[in-house]
Amino acid sequence: MGSPQGRIPELRKDSVTNRWVIFSPARAKRPSDFKSKSPTTTQTQQQQDCPFCLGHEHQCAPEIFRVPPTSGPHWKIRVIENLYPALSRTLADPSAQYPILNPNPNPGSSVKVLGGFGFHDVVIETPFHSVQLSDLSPQEVGEVLLACKKRIEQLSTHDSIKFVQVFKNHGASAGASMSHSHSQILALPVVPSDVSARLDSMNEFFRETGKCSICEVRVEDLLIDESTHYFAIVPFAATFPFEIWIIPRHHSSHFHELDGAKAVDLGGLLKLMLRKISLQLNNPPFNFMIHTSPLQVTNSELPYTHWFLQIIPQLTVVAGFEIGTGCHINPVFPEDAAKVLREVQNSE
């Protein structure tokens, strides 16, 4: 791997998101020198004050379910309502009232207002404050993923819910307000614009090639590792340095099609990727998102919609150019990032 200064900038277009990314290695150190300047710590909140810890269940918002499903004091995973939800589950179901026009629109205005109905839940991944998701066994990570699957299936019974986003914020600078390991689920009565844009891009690729853009994703020197049912890559047009996608080998439109064996397999690969970025990048804050399809996709949309899991270590700042254009500048070529991550030796 040559010096970053020995390569010229490139623009690459992502066939999944339809976005351009600038790769500018002159702005970077050597890829192997990338480290988080603000590593995540888990002790910023004392265990005795944490409502997510075992024995503090009474401090939390109402529980939806737990794993295992017993009423005793011991549990492995709890899914609860978010105490400070972005959307309200108590509002009237909006399915019969959308669109609601602005009450004082200008003539011809297309402004729409929808009551903030939806569901915002928290998945507490472990009862113990000092344990992170990457500390769990593949089986235990798989159980967390299956808890998310179960909650999505419950939310899908609401006709007005169009899309469910599962995500994890790890570290304060990645958006986590609690240091206890947890992820979140937001169910919306609309399909967000970025999701629609991704589906439109996938559809365009399918119309041009007759193939699914995720099934056809380039692997080769972008591969980090693989398992029976999944493979992990740095995407060809990675928006962020050391961004990782975990992709099902076989075409699947919805994350909640996951079964028990695939959950454990995915759990093992996800654990490995989180361990690699922690070891190589100095335990950086990160986000991961499960990019699944809207709940009500049609049969004609199924051939080109394919879910994947995206991990983004927080190593750079999104600034004015990125906000203004939607075009990001990545200082690390994906092939270099994949090589660095391949070579990280997991200590477990």
Side-chain angles (χ1 to χ4, degrees), residues 137-156:
S137 69
Q139 175 75 34
E140 290 168 330
V141 178
E143 289 174 347
V144 172
L145 296 169
L146 289 174
C148 295
K149 163 196 165 90
K150 177 178 177 178
R151 185 57 183 149
I152 293 173
E153 290 174 335
Q154 293 175 342
L155 293 165
S156 69

Side-chain angles (χ1 to χ4, degrees), residues 184-200:
Q184 299 182 62
I185 300 173
L186 252 171
L188 300 97
V190 297
V191 177
S193 55
D194 275 10
V195 177
S196 295
R198 184 176 76 246
L199 297 179
D200 289 344

Side-chain angles (χ1 to χ4, degrees), residues 73-224:
H74 300 292
W75 49 270
K76 297 175 69 175
I77 301 163
R78 294 179 71 229
V79 179
I80 65 172
E81 298 179 12
N82 194 311
L83 193 59
Y84 305 102
L87 296 170
S88 174
R89 70 192 73 218
T90 62
L91 292 179
D93 188 317
S95 57
Q97 53 179 325
Y98 183 79
I100 304 173
L101 294 180
N102 185 325
N104 296 299
N106 296 322
S109 170
S110 60
V111 172
K112 296 176 181 178
V113 178
L114 180 63
F117 170 80
F119 298 85
H120 191 175
D121 302 328
V122 175
V123 181
I124 305 173
E125 298 161 345
T126 168
F128 305 114
H129 196 82
S130 61
V131 176
Q132 294 300 309
L133 186 65
S134 59
D135 298 323
L136 301 178
S137 69
Q139 175 75 34
E140 290 168 330
V141 178
E143 289 174 347
V144 172
L145 296 169
L146 289 174
C148 295
K149 163 196 165 90
K150 177 178 177 178
R151 185 57 183 149
I152 293 173
E153 290 174 335
Q154 293 175 342
L155 293 165
S156 69
T157 63
H158 297 266
D159 290 340
S160 59
I161 295 301
K162 308 302 182 188
F163 186 78
V164 181
Q165 180 67 63
V166 177
F167 63 100
K168 180 178 178 66
N169 304 329
H170 174 75
S173 61
S177 58
M178 302 285 291
S179 58
H180 192 119
S181 189
H182 69 285
S183 48
Q184 299 182 62
I185 300 173
L186 252 171
L188 300 97
V190 297
V191 177
S193 55
D194 275 10
V195 177
S196 295
R198 184 176 76 246
L199 297 179
D200 289 344
S201 180
M202 290 176 163
N203 187 20
E204 180 182 351
F205 185 93
F206 183 75
R207 290 199 312 268
E208 292 176 355
T209 67
K211 299 177 181 179
C212 164
S213 59
I214 296 286
C215 290
E216 295 298 307
V217 74
R218 174 184 161 187
V219 178
E220 301 160 358
D221 49 357
L222 299 172
L223 182 69
I224 305 169

